[in-house]
Amino acid sequence: FDICVNASISTLTGFTPSGGSWTGTGVTGNSFNPTTAGVGPHILTYSFGSGTCLSIDTIVVTVNPLPTITVNSDTICVGQTTTLSASGADTYSWTANTNLSDTTGASVTANPSSTISYTVTGTNTTTGCVNTAISTVTVNPLPAVNAGASITLCDQPIADTLTGYSPANGVWSGAGVTSGGVFTPNGVGNFLLTYTFTDPSTSCQNFDTITVSVVSPQVTNAGTGFDIC
């Protein structure tokens, strides 16, 4: 018979007459331990009687290895998705079922909100032997980003350096603004500017926005001059 190397101890049955003895690798009394025997075919001998009345017969027990399951781990940012791919078996099942695209198959996608470990169980359909592997998805948080307060400027070609944003060393984008955060009005309206920061330690990125309202400057009139003593 066939058995997996990690199977429990099997009681040898079906032999006649009773009262004989078993010998062979992995045999203790009438029991066979596949873990002790190890992978491979093993010849077990059943002996009954002695001397000229000795009778023996043999069976072959094949101890099959467990499939060697491999699976990748990954590090992502909150909101990202990663693909987990397993190999080494014929069929696969996945636990825990948290933010997984499927619970079966060699390849699944995961988008957990926090660090988690998944267990993939692989089965060799020919032998029925099963083994597992662990995939850990490390989830890094997004950086806290503040673009500062929205502002109002007059429609004059005067460069205005944006302030109040954090952390430093981010990048500005939007109409009329340089990457370093200098905005020059060029027409009235509301302009949405985006401040994007990438955490150098995790490569995780986040952003915040402000609105720059550009309005027409008021036209002043001081009136007419006059004479006075």
Side-chain angles (χ1 to χ4, degrees):
F1 59 92
D2 286 6
I3 193 171
C4 297
V5 70
N6 66 335
S8 58
I9 296 174
S10 296
T11 299
L12 300 172
T13 60
F15 54 88
T16 57
S18 61
S21 62
W22 285 95
T23 57
T25 304
V27 171
T28 301
N30 292 343
S31 299
F32 176 75
N33 188 331
T35 303
T36 302
V39 173
H42 300 281
I43 298 176
L44 308 185
T45 301
Y46 183 66
S47 303
F48 183 83
S50 61
T52 57
C53 293
L54 176 64
S55 178
I56 63 174
D57 193 19
T58 61
I59 62 171
V60 176
V61 178
T62 300
V63 179
N64 293 306
L66 303 184
T68 300
I69 310 300
T70 58
V71 64
N72 63 302
S73 294
D74 201 3
T75 298
I76 62 174
C77 302
V78 169
Q80 292 181 335
T81 297
T82 183
T83 299
L84 306 179
S85 299
S87 61
D90 299 315
T91 63
Y92 305 89
S93 62
W94 299 78
T95 56
N97 183 20
T98 303
N99 298 103
L100 282 178
S101 61
D102 207 337
T103 57
T104 61
S107 182
V108 298
T109 58
N111 61 336
S113 57
S114 59
T115 298
I116 189 172
S117 292
Y118 296 101
T119 299
V120 56
T121 301
T123 302
N124 185 319
T125 55
T126 302
T127 64
C129 295
V130 174
N131 206 354
T132 61
I134 302 295
S135 171
T136 299
V137 178
T138 302
V139 182
N140 289 319
L142 302 183
V145 178
N146 183 358
S150 294
I151 60 175
T152 299
L153 299 174
C154 286
D155 185 19
Q156 300 189 82
I158 301 172
D160 184 83
T161 300
L162 301 174
T163 60
Y165 56 87
S166 65
N169 302 317
V171 176
W172 285 95
S173 60
V177 71
T178 67
S179 61
V182 177
F183 180 82
T184 303
N186 185 22
V188 297
N190 294 320
F191 298 87
L192 186 68
L193 306 184
T194 301
Y195 182 67
T196 303
F197 176 79
T198 302
D199 189 331
S201 64
T202 63
S203 296
C204 292
Q205 189 178 87
N206 203 1
F207 68 92
D208 191 25
T209 61
I210 64 169
T211 299
V212 177
S213 298
V214 179
V215 298
S216 296
Q218 294 291 321
V219 177
T220 58
N221 186 345
T224 59
F226 59 94
D227 293 346
I228 192 172
C229 292

